[in-house]
Amino acid sequence: VKVEKIQHEIDLNDVKIALTKDLAEKENLYLSPDYPNCKKTLDLQAIREIFVFTRGSATWDYVEDPQNEGKQICIRPDMVFTLNKTVHFLELDRGTMNLMRFRKKLRGYKEYCLNGAFVSKYGVSDFRVLTTALSEERRNNLLEQAIAEGGNSRCWFAVFDEVISNPFGEVWVRGKEYKEMLESLPESQRKRILNAHRKRERDELVRKNVICHSLLE
């Protein structure tokens, strides 16, 4: 087993622990009334009713690639969990996947929604694709791929360390607000910050001007 794979498994476990622990400590937490045992402070049994963590082949699926006739895209999230009747597909990025391959992955999720296979499998209509990255720069690079594929509201991105330290905090950036920030800039500035050598300026603009979201929304 490669060292990178071991670290990936550790990171997945850390996310699961952080989410569960933080939820147990929340007070005055808004949750769907569909959960009858939810209280201001949740006990372990209530958390089990809220969170359903799933991994492995049970979460896998395939869709036709709309851009390549006869080719398929594998839907293979690192982990799936539900919260407030919304399915969350979790992808832990460690910077090893090239951007075009990641973009294909997002295209697969989009098609998964459009062709009805997601609703058929999970029985709900709402889902998010959550991607954590190791740095702001990598997160924003991935965000731009989501915008290119039209995943502006369903695709959420965050820095891994921020998710671990504040799982339900406002640490998630969506393509929608990111795109709006870019479009608000003068064309010359927009082209400049999207240049490969201007990432620091871009990342600072995102930090200051793009609204972040919480998973509890």
Side-chain angles (χ1 to χ4, degrees):
V1 180
K2 295 182 179 180
V3 173
E4 292 82 1
K5 180 63 175 176
I6 295 174
Q7 188 58 54
H8 187 267
E9 292 299 306
I10 292 171
D11 289 349
L12 272 175
N13 209 41
D14 284 346
V15 170
K16 183 176 179 180
I17 291 169
L19 288 168
T20 304
K21 183 175 183 293
D22 197 46
L23 189 61
E25 295 172 352
K26 291 291 183 188
E27 293 186 0
N28 301 316
L29 180 66
Y30 169 77
L31 291 162
S32 168
D34 293 330
Y35 301 110
N37 292 331
C38 290
K39 309 165 186 175
K40 288 185 177 180
T41 301
L42 303 175
D43 57 26
L44 187 57
Q45 181 58 39
I47 290 173
R48 285 175 178 153
E49 293 181 18
I50 296 164
F51 272 137
V52 180
F53 288 100
T54 311
R55 293 191 58 195
S57 58
T59 68
W60 300 351
D61 219 325
Y62 295 88
V63 296
E64 296 294 325
D65 188 341
Q67 295 185 11
N68 295 282
E69 186 175 354
K71 300 290 186 180
Q72 290 185 320
I73 301 176
C74 180
I75 304 296
R76 194 168 178 173
D78 292 322
M79 185 183 293
V80 179
F81 65 90
T82 58
L83 178 64
N84 276 349
K85 301 300 183 181
T86 298
V87 174
H88 296 74
F89 295 104
L90 179 63
E91 299 281 352
L92 294 188
D93 177 82
R94 296 194 57 79
T96 57
M97 182 180 293
N98 69 58
L99 294 178
M100 292 309 295
R101 185 181 168 198
F102 180 78
R103 183 168 169 175
K104 180 180 178 181
K105 181 190 289 282
L106 294 183
R107 186 161 70 247
Y109 280 115
K110 181 180 179 181
E111 184 65 18
Y112 199 35
C113 174
L114 293 176
N115 70 9
F118 164 76
V119 175
S120 177
K121 182 167 184 172
Y122 291 94
V124 295
S125 59
D126 292 329
F127 76 85
R128 297 167 178 162
V129 181
L130 309 178
T131 303
T132 68
L134 297 181
S135 67
E136 283 185 307
E137 179 177 331
R138 176 68 176 181
R139 179 201 65 192
N140 295 338
N141 289 343
L142 298 178
L143 261 162
E144 289 168 9
Q145 302 309 308
I147 292 172
E149 287 296 334
N152 296 337
S153 296
R154 293 188 183 275
C155 298
W156 294 34
F157 297 81
V159 176
F160 177 80
D161 287 344
E162 293 179 354
V163 173
I164 296 300
S165 62
N166 191 12
F168 290 104
E170 295 177 344
V171 298
W172 296 92
V173 181
R174 304 189 308 182
K176 179 179 183 294
E177 286 80 16
Y178 186 98
K179 183 180 180 183
E180 289 172 354
M181 183 276 292
L182 289 177
E183 292 176 343
S184 71
L185 300 174
E187 184 177 358
S188 58
Q189 185 182 13
R190 181 165 64 250
K191 288 182 177 179
R192 187 176 73 249
I193 68 167
L194 292 176
N195 183 285
H197 303 292
R198 293 282 185 171
K199 299 302 185 188
R200 184 174 297 180
E201 181 182 352
R202 176 202 63 180
D203 298 344
E204 185 175 350
L205 277 171
V206 173
R207 195 180 312 126
K208 291 180 178 180
N209 299 298
V210 177
I211 296 172
C212 293
H213 297 269
S214 164
L215 293 182
L216 295 175
E217 295 177 17

